[in-house]
Amino acid sequence: MRYSIRAAVILALTFGVAITPFVMTDRYILRILTFVGINLIMVAGLSLLFGYAGQISLGQAAFYGLGAYTSGYLAKAGVPWLLALVGGVAVAAIGGLLIALPSLRLKGHYLAMATLGFGEIMLFFFTETESVTGGSNGLRGIPAASIGPLEFATPVAKYFLVWSVVGIVLVLAANIVRRRPGRALRAIHGSETGAQACGIDTVKVKIQVFVLSAGLGGLAGVLYAHYVGFVSPSTFTLHYSLILVTMVALGGMGSLGGAVAGTVLLTLLPYVDAIIPGLPRSTVELIQDWTNDIYGMVLILVMLFMPRGLAGWATSLVARFGGRDRAGGSVHQGGGA
Amino acid sequence: METSELLQLAIAGLKNGSIYALLALGFTIVYAATNVINFAQGEFYMLGGMFAVYAFTQFELPLLVSVPLAVLAVAGIGMLFETLAIRPRKDAEPMALIIITVGGSLVFASLARHAFGSDALPLPEFTAGPSFLFAGAAIERQTVWIWGIVLVTVAGLTFLYSKTRLGRAMRACMQNREAARLMGIDTARVVMISFGLAAALGALAGVAVTPLTSTRFDIGAGIAVKGFAAAILGGLGSPLAAVAGGLLLGLVEQAVIPFSSALKDVVALGVLLAVLFLRPQGLFRRARREKM
Amino acid sequence: MSMLSVKGITKRFGGVTAVDDVSFEVFEGTIHAVIGPNGAGKSTAFNVMTGFDRPDEGSVVFEGATITGMRPHRIVRLGVVRTFQNTMLFDEMTALENVLVGMHARTRVGFLGAALSLPGVHAEERFAREQAHRILRLVDMDDVHAVSAGDLPHGQRRLLEIARALATEPRIMLLDEPAAGLNNVETAQLGETLRRIRGTGVTVVIVEHDMGLVMEVSDEIVVLNEGRKIAEGPPLLIQKDPAVIEAYLGEEASDA
């Protein structure tokens, strides 16, 4: 019963995503929704690393930047888009490897600080190496994505490109989390010693998930660079990294579906006026002015009152109205999308 | 390089280092009491300057009143934050507390923007007047104030820890919180006061520096990273280590200026990563088999 | 030749010698107990035997291969598994999922295979789940397979950790105080379970304080005191061994 509800929801959402550009022709809305897609790719990676494996990272923006700058630079130099994409993802993944290896022994705040430091160093690098990244002015004139003769230059084409990638990424991520690797990630979060006692090479798995999440961050960066056409350092800030963490926390650790919900909600927050057309101007301005405060409060309030996030809340609702599980516990939470 | 130039760099290093030392003290004190790195420490620094500016410009209170008032106000905010946001989840996994302090830093920064605007706000020097001259190098009056503040702070903390009951209770908690609690020490109160003290130290640093750099709602994160780098450079073990780490970081920063002034901003980051990766226990702490 | 051979293990922590030149042999198909007063070094010995710590001196040999200093996950793959005094379960995962994680070393699907649903992934997942249910049935816990480990009562948590350990298809299981916190009924059931495990060909080594259980199920007992081995032999001999009685009485006297 539960599976067919889930399938129906996913089908409905896919359908909704697919017909949206034809229903809402407003370029502004299309732009916002494309950014939701890009954020989803970033959060998919962070969800695996942080939500599932419990490795806190405050520096995901660095991989976003590595992917964006690499791909943008390569494309401007005439490299075909697909190769530029591979280049961007590869550089980001290597970055992930470079930060993961020395950080393996670090836990908790120390890991958080190391990733934060890495993110800030990358930002410095993006701002200072003028010859490669264009410095604080950034990289301009990045060509649109193209596969062979097919060019993704219009807003609708870009929207579909991004969301196709989102679809693929989410399916792959969902496959990972509901099978052996996903369980290994959650085991490492639950008890790293216990995981080792089950034969899990925790070092190897942590490196793998770090690199994977970095690669996904790079992928999001590539799509961003070719969507907007220029890349500047002001995008890859600590603030953005923190917002990504907020999205995962809001969704609930150990839940990909929750992370998706959290991302959609928090990305759309400053753009409520586009989603709910009837809102009074003053309310919209209030929300936009208080967006950052809301992000911060969400982090605190979720941890205090709803530590399992939206996913946990949804699960407890289902349990209360479904009433199937009698043995007194959460029903199979977090194992799937 | 001339001696006077070298001296000038050293003076700047010790000035900045003193600020980092105060922040590092804040990190160390909270960590000792709670095993939590308070990511909002930088915001206490920012709020110190902000409140002082506010009291000085809006209420036209003399600096002599504005500064201590600001420090007290931020100390209060620190204790309030601990009571409302930390204590309810103090037994949660470290992850939750990290996230809460990160959320706190976001909230404080954005609230500050609402309350004080997004412009940089200045404060006059505590005492006006020309810089002192020392062996060919200039020492600004405000710098002397900063040094004085750090010295008094360290003396005050030393007195607190060795001669007062509260201080001894705090030290007991640092050693072993469970044992301290079993001995009848009110650990909840110690934790709250630790937060207040750390907030006060951060605010003090912020106020002392505002005359030189102005304050703005978003300066918290940057200084927090430097303060934390200083704290772990010393090793989150003792107040003395924190001060040493701060001064050392300040000096090392100045040392790269002759090579490239842009690098100065990234020195703290480099130190941070180097310590975390190579010697997480810092310079002055013996390696412990605890989880890092 | 013995299955597991502990040779001259010494481990020091700062100024304290937790384990001092301890040697013993464990033979296949037996239940072997390691006992001793508190602080005798039993858990430390276990840590060394299972890769969670390195000895300062000595070695551990399992079926001819030296395993000292090997990382824990490799030792598990060789067939040596352990449980912990404070159960290291995955509290946010269900009982079934905990056992499934136990099968990690015997299954293969990785990130790539899982993501792309490569051939064999489906089959392995189905097989693993069937196995996991079977193991839970072995310990009478299949009815709570969907309950989070963190919500289970203490006795079932200990059973679950044993089930998870069984999932690693071990040749030898080292259980660290499996009876801690169990009542008499549960302890008796544990004894039954241990015998059943031995019956399937798995060798068992337990660290235990519950003398009743130890004397009931063990084939062989090693006694440690203050880091040193002071006696070894079958239960009947150990019960009468004066050195053993002295060690325990000494502990009682100092408690008085």
Side-chain angles (χ1 to χ4, degrees), chain B residues 181-205:
Chain B
R181 200 173 55 83
L182 291 171
M183 282 190 338
I185 292 178
D186 185 351
T187 50
R189 201 170 74 103
V190 166
V191 168
M192 187 181 75
I193 292 181
S194 298
F195 255 89
L197 188 55
L201 290 169
L204 208 48

PDB file of all heavy atoms in Angstrom, chain B residues 181-205:
ATOM      1  N   ARG B 181      29.490  16.983  38.729  1.00  0.00           N
ATOM      2  CA  ARG B 181      28.071  16.980  39.051  1.00  0.00           C
ATOM      3  C   ARG B 181      27.795  16.126  40.290  1.00  0.00           C
ATOM      4  O   ARG B 181      27.050  16.502  41.181  1.00  0.00           O
ATOM      5  CB  ARG B 181      27.273  16.459  37.841  1.00  0.00           C
ATOM      6  CG  ARG B 181      25.802  16.853  37.859  1.00  0.00           C
ATOM      7  CD  ARG B 181      25.135  16.439  36.563  1.00  0.00           C
ATOM      8  NE  ARG B 181      25.309  15.026  36.297  1.00  0.00           N
ATOM      9  CZ  ARG B 181      24.555  14.068  36.814  1.00  0.00           C
ATOM     10  NH1 ARG B 181      23.580  14.384  37.629  1.00  0.00           N
ATOM     11  NH2 ARG B 181      24.787  12.822  36.522  1.00  0.00           N
ATOM     12  N   LEU B 182      28.480  14.977  40.321  1.00  0.00           N
ATOM     13  CA  LEU B 182      28.290  14.089  41.465  1.00  0.00           C
ATOM     14  C   LEU B 182      28.802  14.716  42.748  1.00  0.00           C
ATOM     15  O   LEU B 182      28.346  14.386  43.843  1.00  0.00           O
ATOM     16  CB  LEU B 182      29.010  12.758  41.217  1.00  0.00           C
ATOM     17  CG  LEU B 182      28.385  11.909  40.114  1.00  0.00           C
ATOM     18  CD1 LEU B 182      29.271  10.721  39.780  1.00  0.00           C
ATOM     19  CD2 LEU B 182      27.016  11.410  40.543  1.00  0.00           C
ATOM     20  N   MET B 183      29.758  15.640  42.596  1.00  0.00           N
ATOM     21  CA  MET B 183      30.278  16.298  43.790  1.00  0.00           C
ATOM     22  C   MET B 183      29.386  17.446  44.226  1.00  0.00           C
ATOM     23  O   MET B 183      29.713  18.166  45.158  1.00  0.00           O
ATOM     24  CB  MET B 183      31.693  16.836  43.513  1.00  0.00           C
ATOM     25  CG  MET B 183      32.726  15.744  43.556  1.00  0.00           C
ATOM     26  SD  MET B 183      34.422  16.336  43.533  1.00  0.00           S
ATOM     27  CE  MET B 183      34.325  17.932  42.824  1.00  0.00           C
ATOM     28  N   GLY B 184      28.298  17.655  43.504  1.00  0.00           N
ATOM     29  CA  GLY B 184      27.351  18.664  43.940  1.00  0.00           C
ATOM     30  C   GLY B 184      27.473  19.989  43.214  1.00  0.00           C
ATOM     31  O   GLY B 184      26.791  20.946  43.556  1.00  0.00           O
ATOM     32  N   ILE B 185      28.338  20.044  42.197  1.00  0.00           N
ATOM     33  CA  ILE B 185      28.478  21.307  41.470  1.00  0.00           C
ATOM     34  C   ILE B 185      27.308  21.443  40.497  1.00  0.00           C
ATOM     35  O   ILE B 185      26.921  20.487  39.841  1.00  0.00           O
ATOM     36  CB  ILE B 185      29.811  21.323  40.695  1.00  0.00           C
ATOM     37  CG1 ILE B 185      30.970  21.378  41.694  1.00  0.00           C
ATOM     38  CG2 ILE B 185      29.883  22.496  39.742  1.00  0.00           C
ATOM     39  CD1 ILE B 185      32.322  21.347  41.060  1.00  0.00           C
ATOM     40  N   ASP B 186      26.756  22.635  40.456  1.00  0.00           N
ATOM     41  CA  ASP B 186      25.627  22.887  39.557  1.00  0.00           C
ATOM     42  C   ASP B 186      26.172  23.077  38.149  1.00  0.00           C
ATOM     43  O   ASP B 186      26.454  24.194  37.722  1.00  0.00           O
ATOM     44  CB  ASP B 186      24.890  24.141  40.033  1.00  0.00           C
ATOM     45  CG  ASP B 186      23.626  24.395  39.228  1.00  0.00           C
ATOM     46  OD1 ASP B 186      23.419  23.704  38.200  1.00  0.00           O
ATOM     47  OD2 ASP B 186      22.846  25.277  39.606  1.00  0.00           O
ATOM     48  N   THR B 187      26.310  21.958  37.433  1.00  0.00           N
ATOM     49  CA  THR B 187      26.955  22.043  36.125  1.00  0.00           C
ATOM     50  C   THR B 187      26.149  22.873  35.139  1.00  0.00           C
ATOM     51  O   THR B 187      26.711  23.523  34.263  1.00  0.00           O
ATOM     52  CB  THR B 187      27.179  20.648  35.523  1.00  0.00           C
ATOM     53  OG1 THR B 187      25.964  19.929  35.584  1.00  0.00           O
ATOM     54  CG2 THR B 187      28.264  19.891  36.249  1.00  0.00           C
ATOM     55  N   ALA B 188      24.818  22.850  35.266  1.00  0.00           N
ATOM     56  CA  ALA B 188      24.009  23.650  34.340  1.00  0.00           C
ATOM     57  C   ALA B 188      24.362  25.121  34.477  1.00  0.00           C
ATOM     58  O   ALA B 188      24.482  25.847  33.494  1.00  0.00           O
ATOM     59  CB  ALA B 188      22.534  23.418  34.619  1.00  0.00           C
ATOM     60  N   ARG B 189      24.555  25.556  35.727  1.00  0.00           N
ATOM     61  CA  ARG B 189      24.877  26.961  35.943  1.00  0.00           C
ATOM     62  C   ARG B 189      26.266  27.270  35.382  1.00  0.00           C
ATOM     63  O   ARG B 189      26.490  28.322  34.777  1.00  0.00           O
ATOM     64  CB  ARG B 189      24.829  27.275  37.431  1.00  0.00           C
ATOM     65  CG  ARG B 189      24.641  28.760  37.740  1.00  0.00           C
ATOM     66  CD  ARG B 189      24.364  28.966  39.213  1.00  0.00           C
ATOM     67  NE  ARG B 189      25.573  28.775  40.006  1.00  0.00           N
ATOM     68  CZ  ARG B 189      26.284  29.776  40.516  1.00  0.00           C
ATOM     69  NH1 ARG B 189      25.906  31.009  40.317  1.00  0.00           N
ATOM     70  NH2 ARG B 189      27.368  29.538  41.211  1.00  0.00           N
ATOM     71  N   VAL B 190      27.182  26.355  35.575  1.00  0.00           N
ATOM     72  CA  VAL B 190      28.546  26.560  35.076  1.00  0.00           C
ATOM     73  C   VAL B 190      28.524  26.704  33.559  1.00  0.00           C
ATOM     74  O   VAL B 190      29.188  27.569  32.983  1.00  0.00           O
ATOM     75  CB  VAL B 190      29.469  25.390  35.494  1.00  0.00           C
ATOM     76  CG1 VAL B 190      30.763  25.431  34.717  1.00  0.00           C
ATOM     77  CG2 VAL B 190      29.729  25.434  36.978  1.00  0.00           C
ATOM     78  N   VAL B 191      27.743  25.847  32.910  1.00  0.00           N
ATOM     79  CA  VAL B 191      27.668  25.912  31.452  1.00  0.00           C
ATOM     80  C   VAL B 191      27.110  27.252  31.001  1.00  0.00           C
ATOM     81  O   VAL B 191      27.642  27.908  30.100  1.00  0.00           O
ATOM     82  CB  VAL B 191      26.796  24.760  30.902  1.00  0.00           C
ATOM     83  CG1 VAL B 191      26.482  24.980  29.436  1.00  0.00           C
ATOM     84  CG2 VAL B 191      27.505  23.435  31.086  1.00  0.00           C
ATOM     85  N   MET B 192      26.046  27.686  31.670  1.00  0.00           N
ATOM     86  CA  MET B 192      25.431  28.950  31.281  1.00  0.00           C
ATOM     87  C   MET B 192      26.420  30.105  31.476  1.00  0.00           C
ATOM     88  O   MET B 192      26.568  30.977  30.630  1.00  0.00           O
ATOM     89  CB  MET B 192      24.168  29.194  32.107  1.00  0.00           C
ATOM     90  CG  MET B 192      23.387  30.413  31.641  1.00  0.00           C
ATOM     91  SD  MET B 192      21.911  30.727  32.619  1.00  0.00           S
ATOM     92  CE  MET B 192      22.628  31.402  34.106  1.00  0.00           C
ATOM     93  N   ILE B 193      27.094  30.094  32.596  1.00  0.00           N
ATOM     94  CA  ILE B 193      28.044  31.168  32.864  1.00  0.00           C
ATOM     95  C   ILE B 193      29.212  31.115  31.886  1.00  0.00           C
ATOM     96  O   ILE B 193      29.727  32.151  31.446  1.00  0.00           O
ATOM     97  CB  ILE B 193      28.531  31.111  34.325  1.00  0.00           C
ATOM     98  CG1 ILE B 193      27.358  31.467  35.233  1.00  0.00           C
ATOM     99  CG2 ILE B 193      29.711  32.035  34.555  1.00  0.00           C
ATOM    100  CD1 ILE B 193      27.692  31.476  36.691  1.00  0.00           C
ATOM    101  N   SER B 194      29.614  29.913  31.522  1.00  0.00           N
ATOM    102  CA  SER B 194      30.694  29.783  30.541  1.00  0.00           C
ATOM    103  C   SER B 194      30.304  30.454  29.239  1.00  0.00           C
ATOM    104  O   SER B 194      31.098  31.164  28.624  1.00  0.00           O
ATOM    105  CB  SER B 194      31.010  28.313  30.286  1.00  0.00           C
ATOM    106  OG  SER B 194      31.459  27.695  31.459  1.00  0.00           O
ATOM    107  N   PHE B 195      29.087  30.204  28.811  1.00  0.00           N
ATOM    108  CA  PHE B 195      28.611  30.841  27.581  1.00  0.00           C
ATOM    109  C   PHE B 195      28.596  32.346  27.732  1.00  0.00           C
ATOM    110  O   PHE B 195      29.004  33.090  26.823  1.00  0.00           O
ATOM    111  CB  PHE B 195      27.197  30.347  27.235  1.00  0.00           C
ATOM    112  CG  PHE B 195      27.176  29.365  26.101  1.00  0.00           C
ATOM    113  CD1 PHE B 195      27.308  28.016  26.330  1.00  0.00           C
ATOM    114  CD2 PHE B 195      27.036  29.817  24.789  1.00  0.00           C
ATOM    115  CE1 PHE B 195      27.294  27.110  25.281  1.00  0.00           C
ATOM    116  CE2 PHE B 195      27.028  28.912  23.738  1.00  0.00           C
ATOM    117  CZ  PHE B 195      27.162  27.565  23.991  1.00  0.00           C
ATOM    118  N   GLY B 196      28.112  32.808  28.880  1.00  0.00           N
ATOM    119  CA  GLY B 196      28.075  34.249  29.096  1.00  0.00           C
ATOM    120  C   GLY B 196      29.473  34.850  29.093  1.00  0.00           C
ATOM    121  O   GLY B 196      29.712  35.901  28.497  1.00  0.00           O
ATOM    122  N   LEU B 197      30.393  34.148  29.723  1.00  0.00           N
ATOM    123  CA  LEU B 197      31.762  34.633  29.782  1.00  0.00           C
ATOM    124  C   LEU B 197      32.387  34.676  28.390  1.00  0.00           C
ATOM    125  O   LEU B 197      33.012  35.667  27.992  1.00  0.00           O
ATOM    126  CB  LEU B 197      32.574  33.715  30.701  1.00  0.00           C
ATOM    127  CG  LEU B 197      33.994  34.128  31.057  1.00  0.00           C
ATOM    128  CD1 LEU B 197      34.004  35.519  31.659  1.00  0.00           C
ATOM    129  CD2 LEU B 197      34.592  33.122  32.029  1.00  0.00           C
ATOM    130  N   ALA B 198      32.182  33.602  27.637  1.00  0.00           N
ATOM    131  CA  ALA B 198      32.724  33.546  26.274  1.00  0.00           C
ATOM    132  C   ALA B 198      32.137  34.664  25.423  1.00  0.00           C
ATOM    133  O   ALA B 198      32.844  35.300  24.636  1.00  0.00           O
ATOM    134  CB  ALA B 198      32.430  32.188  25.646  1.00  0.00           C
ATOM    135  N   ALA B 199      30.835  34.890  25.578  1.00  0.00           N
ATOM    136  CA  ALA B 199      30.192  35.956  24.819  1.00  0.00           C
ATOM    137  C   ALA B 199      30.787  37.307  25.208  1.00  0.00           C
ATOM    138  O   ALA B 199      31.058  38.164  24.358  1.00  0.00           O
ATOM    139  CB  ALA B 199      28.685  35.953  25.063  1.00  0.00           C
ATOM    140  N   ALA B 200      31.010  37.499  26.509  1.00  0.00           N
ATOM    141  CA  ALA B 200      31.580  38.764  26.980  1.00  0.00           C
ATOM    142  C   ALA B 200      32.972  38.977  26.388  1.00  0.00           C
ATOM    143  O   ALA B 200      33.316  40.079  25.948  1.00  0.00           O
ATOM    144  CB  ALA B 200      31.649  38.774  28.505  1.00  0.00           C
ATOM    145  N   LEU B 201      33.783  37.905  26.370  1.00  0.00           N
ATOM    146  CA  LEU B 201      35.123  38.024  25.814  1.00  0.00           C
ATOM    147  C   LEU B 201      35.067  38.379  24.332  1.00  0.00           C
ATOM    148  O   LEU B 201      35.814  39.224  23.851  1.00  0.00           O
ATOM    149  CB  LEU B 201      35.895  36.710  26.014  1.00  0.00           C
ATOM    150  CG  LEU B 201      36.276  36.411  27.453  1.00  0.00           C
ATOM    151  CD1 LEU B 201      36.784  34.984  27.574  1.00  0.00           C
ATOM    152  CD2 LEU B 201      37.323  37.395  27.923  1.00  0.00           C
ATOM    153  N   GLY B 202      34.172  37.713  23.608  1.00  0.00           N
ATOM    154  CA  GLY B 202      34.023  38.036  22.196  1.00  0.00           C
ATOM    155  C   GLY B 202      33.600  39.477  22.005  1.00  0.00           C
ATOM    156  O   GLY B 202      34.137  40.195  21.159  1.00  0.00           O
ATOM    157  N   ALA B 203      32.643  39.899  22.815  1.00  0.00           N
ATOM    158  CA  ALA B 203      32.143  41.268  22.697  1.00  0.00           C
ATOM    159  C   ALA B 203      33.237  42.276  23.014  1.00  0.00           C
ATOM    160  O   ALA B 203      33.372  43.310  22.351  1.00  0.00           O
ATOM    161  CB  ALA B 203      30.957  41.468  23.636  1.00  0.00           C
ATOM    162  N   LEU B 204      34.016  41.955  24.041  1.00  0.00           N
ATOM    163  CA  LEU B 204      35.124  42.835  24.423  1.00  0.00           C
ATOM    164  C   LEU B 204      36.081  43.022  23.250  1.00  0.00           C
ATOM    165  O   LEU B 204      36.486  44.152  22.911  1.00  0.00           O
ATOM    166  CB  LEU B 204      35.854  42.185  25.602  1.00  0.00           C
ATOM    167  CG  LEU B 204      36.596  43.071  26.601  1.00  0.00           C
ATOM    168  CD1 LEU B 204      35.731  44.219  27.045  1.00  0.00           C
ATOM    169  CD2 LEU B 204      37.000  42.217  27.804  1.00  0.00           C
ATOM    170  N   ALA B 205      36.424  41.909  22.616  1.00  0.00           N
ATOM    171  CA  ALA B 205      37.304  41.981  21.449  1.00  0.00           C
ATOM    172  C   ALA B 205      36.661  42.844  20.367  1.00  0.00           C
ATOM    173  O   ALA B 205      37.311  43.698  19.766  1.00  0.00           O
ATOM    174  CB  ALA B 205      37.581  40.579  20.912  1.00  0.00           C
TER     175      ALA B 205
END
